[in-house]
Amino acid sequence: MRIAVTGATGYIGSHLVSAFCRKHEVYAIVRTTSETAGIQAYVKEFIVYDSEQVYGRLAAIQPEVLIHLAGVFYGEHTADNIENLLNANLVFSTVVFDAAVSAGCKKIINTGTYWQQFAKEDYNPVNLYAATKQAAEDILMYYVKARRCSAVTLQIFDSYGPDDNRKKILNIIRDLEDGARIDMSGGRQKMYYCHIEDLVSGYARALELLAEMAPGTAVRYALREEEPVMLRTLIEEFLRIQGKRLEINWGGRAYRDREIMEPAGIGTVLPGWTPRYSWQQGVETL
């Protein structure tokens, strides 16, 4: 199939395009500032984001599927970053949805976050970032209902894997020297961790599911294990596997505002998909 992908230069996106290029033609929608060298071998064409380029090239390519991974994350919004947050997560998303559908694309895989469901409510955003992800999902519903598309939104929890240089806690701890001190929260929050290979297989399964869905329908599914793990348990096991000793000051930092302490029950797991890695097996690959 011809598949257009946003966010292809990110950690999840780069692994996805490297896997999908074996079976499909992959077209990456990127910004002028995107670093594309690492995925050039996997992408048939790079489409630089601006309205004329996106509409024109997608009309010529006529992708059968759009996979929307791109997004900007801020744990807390400020006066300085709010415009970037809205432009990236709302304006960019809407333009890409519209350009793809205008080009005849009727199947869309969108990416959401479990932070859209604070207190396990159907919709209660943890922060403004989560609110923009919900807003993009709501905008997508217009194309589902009015333009008779089918859409799967995949709800992402915490991801990890080899060669990950994002500023995430496992990577930060991995890169610390033995004996270093680090302040952390109390560590009592529970989390779902999904290995990068399992995330990619989840998007592949969503692609199969789209083929079975009727026009004008949309679903949301989660990519997660059955049971979450307490962050403190995860960190202590990771340190044991790494053979590293750190001075962790548990409780040295406050929990985030509106921290999700218990995510169990958030999201219905994607049918027909089972993660290959438990968190215990996954951290051994780092």
Side-chain angles (χ1 to χ4, degrees):
M1 289 187 288
R2 296 180 304 280
I3 301 177
V5 180
T6 71
T9 60
Y11 182 68
I12 298 173
S14 62
H15 282 78
L16 185 143
V17 298
S18 68
F20 276 34
C21 74
R22 301 166 194 168
K23 294 183 178 180
H24 310 290
E25 289 184 4
V26 177
Y27 299 83
I29 301 171
V30 298
R31 295 185 182 274
T32 55
T33 55
S34 298
E35 178 52 63
T36 61
I39 61 169
Q40 282 185 349
Y42 313 129
V43 174
K44 188 173 180 67
E45 180 182 334
F46 290 102
I47 303 169
V48 177
Y49 174 74
D50 66 59
S51 294
E52 183 178 353
Q53 175 86 333
V54 170
Y55 279 90
R57 289 309 302 150
L58 290 183
I61 293 163
Q62 295 186 325
E64 296 157 89
V65 179
L66 170 68
I67 299 178
H68 182 40
L69 275 161
V72 165
F73 169 79
Y74 294 111
E76 296 181 4
H77 73 275
T78 66
D80 293 330
N81 65 33
I82 188 171
E83 187 172 344
N84 188 40
L85 184 69
L86 295 174
N87 282 335
N89 294 350
L90 289 182
V91 177
F92 176 86
S93 298
T94 304
V95 169
V96 170
F97 290 155
D98 196 70
V101 174
S102 297
C105 179
K106 295 293 185 180
K107 299 182 185 300
I108 298 171
I109 299 175
N110 182 44
T111 305
T113 171
Y114 78 109
W115 280 15
Q116 293 167 230
Q117 292 187 260
F118 182 72
K120 303 181 186 180
E121 296 179 24
D122 185 57
Y123 177 53
N124 184 342
V126 166
N127 56 8
L128 190 59
Y129 159 75
T132 64
K133 297 298 286 185
Q134 180 67 42
E137 192 174 337
D138 290 342
I139 288 169
L140 179 57
M141 284 302 297
Y142 161 73
Y143 295 97
V144 170
K145 297 301 184 182
R147 304 295 291 274
R148 304 297 291 166
C149 295
S150 53
V152 177
T153 292
L154 293 178
Q155 199 168 29
I156 303 298
F157 291 74
D158 286 278
S159 59
Y160 70 103
D163 306 314
D164 186 0
N165 295 315
R166 295 172 297 172
K167 292 182 179 180
K168 287 182 168 286
I169 188 59
L170 290 182
N171 304 332
I172 292 170
I173 286 177
R174 177 198 62 199
D175 295 337
L176 289 174
E177 298 290 336
D178 262 354
R181 175 186 172 88
I182 181 172
D183 290 337
M184 294 191 64
S185 70
R188 299 295 177 184
Q189 65 270 53
K190 294 182 180 179
M191 310 176 79
Y192 285 111
Y193 270 80
C194 193
H195 193 275
I196 185 61
E197 292 182 20
D198 290 326
L199 284 176
V200 170
S201 71
Y203 279 84
R205 172 57 190 144
L207 201 60
E208 296 173 345
L209 186 62
L210 272 175
E212 305 166 3
M213 291 172 56
T217 57
V219 292
R220 180 202 290 172
Y221 290 117
L223 297 180
R224 60 167 175 79
E225 290 189 89
E226 288 299 321
E227 298 294 333
V229 58
M230 189 177 294
L231 178 62
R232 186 165 183 165
T233 301
L234 174 72
I235 297 302
E236 289 173 349
E237 177 64 10
F238 181 58
L239 289 173
R240 185 192 68 78
I241 291 170
Q242 293 283 312
K244 179 176 288 189
R245 294 187 179 184
L246 299 179
E247 185 181 345
I248 299 181
N249 180 24
W250 295 106
R253 296 181 61 179
Y255 288 108
R256 289 191 187 100
D257 184 34
R258 292 168 66 80
E259 184 93 49
I260 295 180
M261 301 297 292
E262 176 56 82
I266 294 178
T268 300
V269 175
L270 177 68
W273 172 84
T274 302
R276 173 185 173 189
Y277 293 95
S278 66
W279 68 265
Q280 296 95 328
Q281 295 168 323
V283 293
E284 293 186 0
T285 69
L286 303 181

